[in-house]
């Protein structure tokens, strides 16, 4: 599968001012905001995100976290998605650089191979200064999708 970030983000959504004073609270809010097919249990996604966070922080630095399930629980490729989440208040998540998280990319993949491809595509995107500016300004879904599409075309 060639990872199509634009499609994955469109499925996952872009959410602003998500509240929570802990990663567990934020994940509960995110899972409730996201849309899933009937075959997916929101409780199972929530539990898997929390379990992964307990093993080691998903904060990667520069105010970014990449929450994901340690063991893929998405059964169908069409249910894969990435949600972009702007937090209402920065959250201390033991990031390597000590900077509290203000933006999350919640990655829900069907298998490890797709997960790695999603991470790789996001890493490339996060190197782009224009994209980082969009995140800092809490850009909406249309702006994010346009930037992702432009990045994919210029690769």
């Amino acid at each position: 599968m060639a990872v199509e970030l634009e499609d994955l983000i469109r499925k996952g959504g872009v959410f602003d001012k998500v509240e929570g004073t802990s990663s567990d609270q934020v994940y509960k809010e995110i899972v409730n905001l996201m849309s899933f097919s009937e075959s997916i249990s929101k409780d199972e996604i929530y539990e898997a995100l929390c379990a992964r966070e307990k093993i080691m922080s998903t904060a990667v630095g520069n105010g970014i976290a990449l929450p994901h399930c340690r063991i893929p629980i998405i059964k169908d490729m069409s249910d894969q998605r990435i949600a972009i989440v702007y937090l209402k208040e920065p959250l201390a998540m033991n990031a390597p650089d000590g900077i509290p998280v203000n933006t999350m990319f919640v990655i829900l993949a069907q298998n490890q191979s797709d997960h790695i491809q999603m991470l790789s595509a996001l890493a490339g995107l996060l190197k782009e200064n224009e994209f980082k500016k969009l995140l800092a300004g809490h850009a909406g879904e249309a702006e994010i999708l346009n930037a992702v599409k432009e990045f994919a075309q210029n690769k």
Side-chain angles (χ1 to χ4, degrees):
M1 165 198 168
V3 170
E4 298 290 339
L5 280 182
E6 186 180 355
D7 291 337
L8 292 166
I9 293 168
R10 186 176 288 110
K11 287 179 192 174
V14 177
F15 305 100
D16 196 12
K17 296 185 176 119
V18 174
E19 296 187 41
T21 57
S22 70
S23 58
D24 286 6
Q25 288 177 356
V26 169
Y27 296 156
K28 179 62 93 176
E29 186 71 19
I30 291 168
V31 168
N32 286 329
L33 289 169
M34 291 177 74
S35 297
F36 297 102
S37 69
E38 289 182 15
S39 66
I40 296 176
S41 161
K42 287 188 175 199
D43 289 338
E44 194 175 349
I45 298 280
Y46 168 73
E47 294 296 331
L49 289 171
C50 291
R52 169 58 185 86
E53 197 66 41
K54 283 178 178 57
I55 293 170
M56 187 165 83
S57 176
T58 58
V60 295
N62 294 317
I64 304 286
L66 305 171
H68 58 278
C69 305
R70 183 168 180 258
I71 298 167
I73 58 176
I74 300 295
K75 306 293 184 232
D76 192 299
M77 187 178 287
S78 65
D79 287 325
Q80 296 186 125
R81 61 199 66 227
I82 297 173
I84 299 177
V85 179
Y86 303 116
L87 302 180
K88 184 173 182 180
E89 299 293 332
L91 183 63
M93 291 180 65
N94 297 317
D97 60 5
I99 297 173
V101 169
N102 52 42
T103 305
M104 294 181 169
F105 291 81
V106 181
I107 302 167
L108 300 176
Q110 178 192 23
N111 56 56
Q112 281 190 319
S113 175
D114 288 353
H115 177 80
I116 298 297
Q117 288 182 47
M118 290 178 193
L119 284 175
S120 176
L122 284 173
L125 196 56
L126 289 168
K127 290 178 185 174
E128 297 293 314
N129 286 329
E130 290 304 312
F131 189 74
K132 289 190 270 190
K133 287 179 188 175
L134 287 175
L135 294 177
H138 292 208
E141 187 169 327
E143 285 179 282
I144 292 289
L145 293 175
N146 283 336
V148 170
K149 186 176 186 175
E150 192 173 301
F151 174 73
Q153 291 171 346
N154 292 332
K155 275 199 319 186

